Amino acid sequence: MHETITELNKRKLINDMAKFALLGLINEKIFKYAAIRGINLHFVFSHPAAKQTFELNKENIKAKLREFWADNLAAIKEAGIIFREIDCEAIYRLPRDTQAMQEEKKPYEEPSNGSFENRAKDPAIRLGFERIRKRIIADLESGKSVYAGDAI
């Protein structure tokens, strides 16, 4: 039980240190947490813009960490917090629209059934259009796509 409380206090101190370092630079709402990974103090954000802001202000963040370190040296030594460098990552998920997901599952609707007039005079271009016609007809016959118009 004592180890759990000690670990929780250590994590709280690390997060307090990180919040102090980010104060005024990055919004606290997009800061998720901070943790010691190897010899790095690792910051995690919920928005990719925070990562860019972090990289641009890395020296300012280090200066604020040194200030926090000096003010809370006894608690930091007691918790055994040691790191040499800082880094960050952004973990975020774009919201998904359920209607958009249903639209993705529908088969492709082909706007043509392959019946068009090939007016190309150049034989190479004429051959290209004929290949397109064959591809459209093959996709319609195989069921890969659905014709969305009236058949001519």
Side-chain angles (χ1 to χ4, degrees), residues 19-49:
K19 286 178 184 177
F20 180 82
L22 298 174
L23 190 65
L25 297 174
I26 298 174
N27 191 342
E28 191 174 325
K29 290 180 182 178
I30 59 177
F31 170 72
K32 284 185 152 191
Y33 64 90
I36 304 290
R37 289 192 183 166
I39 60 169
N40 290 339
L41 177 59
H42 188 74
F43 293 78
V44 179
F45 302 106
S46 63
H47 196 280

Side-chain angles (χ1 to χ4, degrees), residues 4 11 28 34 39 54 105 113 117 137:
T4 306
R11 287 184 185 185
E28 191 174 325
I39 60 169
F54 179 90
K105 292 179 183 177
N113 63 356
E117 185 181 346
I137 292 170

Side-chain angles (χ1 to χ4, degrees), residues 2-18 33-38 40-41 68-69 75-83:
H2 178 68
E3 296 88 20
T4 306
I5 293 172
T6 306
E7 185 64 28
L8 287 173
N9 288 337
K10 181 178 178 178
R11 287 184 185 185
K12 184 180 179 331
L13 186 60
I14 291 170
N15 279 318
D16 288 346
M17 183 182 340
Y33 64 90
I36 304 290
R37 289 192 183 166
N40 290 339
L41 177 59
F68 186 89
W69 193 278
I76 291 170
K77 279 189 174 183
E78 183 180 327
I81 299 172
I82 300 170
F83 60 92

Side-chain angles (χ1 to χ4, degrees), residues 88-150:
C88 73
E89 72 176 314
I91 299 175
Y92 61 97
R93 183 179 304 167
L94 296 174
R96 293 295 303 234
D97 184 12
T98 54
Q99 184 178 5
M101 289 174 63
Q102 294 301 322
E103 288 293 323
E104 287 177 9
K105 292 179 183 177
K106 289 183 180 177
Y108 171 71
E109 291 184 0
E110 178 64 52
S112 174
N113 63 356
S115 62
F116 53 85
E117 185 181 346
N118 189 348
R119 296 182 186 174
K121 303 223 187 293
D122 185 351
I125 295 174
R126 183 180 260 312
L127 181 64
F129 279 119
E130 290 305 318
R131 285 183 182 153
I132 292 170
R133 181 190 321 267
K134 286 180 184 176
R135 178 69 56 96
I136 291 170
I137 292 170
D139 282 351
L140 289 172
E141 288 173 354
S142 70
K144 284 185 182 176
S145 62
V146 178
Y147 177 59
D150 295 328

